[in-house]
Amino acid sequence: MFAVIKTGGRQYRVVPNDVLEIGKIAGDVGTIVQLGEVLVLGGDTPVLGTPTVAGATVAAEVLQHKRGAKVIAFKKRRRKNSRRKRGYRDELTVLRITEILADNAKPTVGPRPKKEKVAAPADGEDAAPKAAKKKAPAKAPAAKKAPAKKAAAKSEKK
């Protein structure tokens, strides 16, 4: 099953487990948000909305908020010593589509649990080899000495 949704003035074709970047929307990272403007529900019997499908929503998990690539607007007027450089970066939200819902259904899938970091074992055997593998501090470079032959030749000329 797929759906065509509209958000931020753009339309996206989505299926469950899709990851997409859209314009920034409200919602904390890890929460489930519902996108209500569903234009088409596809599948065995597609349903076209007029303009939206009544009672249909798409549930998505907010993965992160970030900023897009830099866009530079540079204007120059020839021979007038006039230049303007202006740029911006879009605010984006990264979503993972969890479910496509119809008939005013509520989301059943919650946010995925975060992976926990595995702590290093505290055994004495594992800790000792790691300490032995440390590199010795680098030696400071020796000061350069003037060649002895040149110094001796200068003293003889005097």
Side-chain angles (χ1 to χ4, degrees):
M1 176 179 238
F2 73 92
V4 176
I5 61 171
K6 180 179 177 185
T7 179
R10 297 183 183 187
Q11 297 177 6
Y12 302 91
R13 181 187 183 274
V14 296
V15 295
N17 293 322
D18 266 359
V19 175
L20 65 142
E21 292 179 355
I22 63 171
K24 187 169 183 176
I25 59 173
D28 294 330
V29 174
T31 60
I32 299 292
V33 295
Q34 289 189 355
L35 305 170
E37 284 193 81
V38 179
L39 306 176
V40 177
L41 279 179
D44 295 337
T45 58
V47 179
L48 300 175
T50 54
T52 59
V53 178
T57 58
V58 172
E61 177 186 1
V62 177
L63 298 180
Q64 71 177 11
H65 295 289
K66 67 178 192 176
R67 298 179 75 194
K70 288 183 182 180
V71 178
I72 304 295
F74 184 77
K75 296 180 181 180
K76 180 178 179 177
R77 293 167 193 92
R78 299 185 304 159
R79 299 180 297 276
K80 309 264 190 285
N81 196 20
S82 173
R83 290 183 291 210
R84 296 292 175 265
K85 183 176 179 182
R86 183 177 178 275
Y88 72 95
R89 295 175 71 184
D90 282 331
E91 299 288 330
L92 302 174
T93 300
V94 180
L95 298 177
R96 176 183 291 119
I97 304 301
T98 55
E99 291 180 283
I100 297 173
L101 307 164
D103 301 327
N104 294 323
K106 299 290 182 190
T108 58
V109 178
R112 293 184 180 185
K114 293 184 178 181
K115 294 180 182 177
E116 295 182 16
K117 294 182 180 178
V118 179
D123 296 338
E125 298 171 3
D126 292 341
K130 288 182 182 178
K133 291 182 182 178
K134 288 186 178 179
K135 293 182 178 180
K139 294 181 181 178
K144 293 185 179 180
K145 296 180 182 177
K149 292 180 183 178
K150 288 183 180 179
K154 287 182 181 179
S155 62
E156 289 177 10
K157 288 182 181 178
K158 290 183 182 180

